[in-house]
Amino acid sequence: MHQPIKTITPKEVEQLLKDKKPISLIDVREDDEVAQGKIPQAKHIRLSEIPERLDEIEKDKETIFVCRSGGRSGRACEYLQALGYNVVNMEGGMLDWEGETE
């Protein structure tokens, strides 16, 4: 049986960043979407590139995944969690993000 994927709200992520918590954020959207604004602290790894860029994701550190609405980041989380990564999906994605973007 699969472990349910942990989730976090955009507001909670914003608060962690405000509190200067050391969080790891990965944005899995496509280049053109990221060009329209991403969370400044987020690292951009497209969903399709995750399998070949696993070495850029810390396995034992909790990593929060972000996309436009929470669907693709959820798929990234399922994939990585099955490989033993510690992952969290930001529900609602960038559509619900009200914090800073770059």
Side-chain angles (χ1 to χ4, degrees):
M1 200 183 105
H2 290 306
Q3 277 288 95
I5 302 287
K6 284 188 290 206
T7 57
I8 189 166
T9 66
K11 275 270 171 269
E12 290 169 318
V13 172
E14 202 179 334
Q15 194 55 55
L16 289 172
L17 293 172
K18 279 197 180 113
D19 296 344
K20 304 271 188 258
K21 296 275 187 262
I23 63 170
S24 177
L25 272 173
I26 294 181
D27 191 321
V28 300
R29 295 175 301 157
E30 293 301 314
D31 298 345
D32 59 324
E33 294 174 284
V34 169
Q36 293 164 22
K38 73 173 185 66
I39 300 168
Q41 295 82 349
K43 175 179 187 137
H44 179 216
I45 301 180
R46 290 192 314 241
L47 182 61
S48 60
E49 293 177 340
I50 284 177
E52 67 223 35
R53 293 178 67 183
L54 289 175
D55 58 335
E56 294 177 52
I57 304 166
E58 288 182 65
K59 199 163 193 170
D60 46 6
K61 186 176 175 192
E62 187 171 88
T63 303
I64 300 167
F65 285 82
V66 180
C67 70
R68 196 178 76 92
S69 62
R72 280 171 287 174
S73 52
R75 291 207 293 278
C77 286
E78 283 167 23
Y79 172 74
L80 289 161
Q81 186 164 285
L83 294 175
Y85 285 79
N86 183 358
V87 295
V88 184
N89 187 20
M90 187 175 93
E91 286 184 309
M94 292 303 286
L95 290 176
D96 289 351
W97 178 256
E98 290 165 9
E100 254 181 83
T101 59
E102 64 175 17

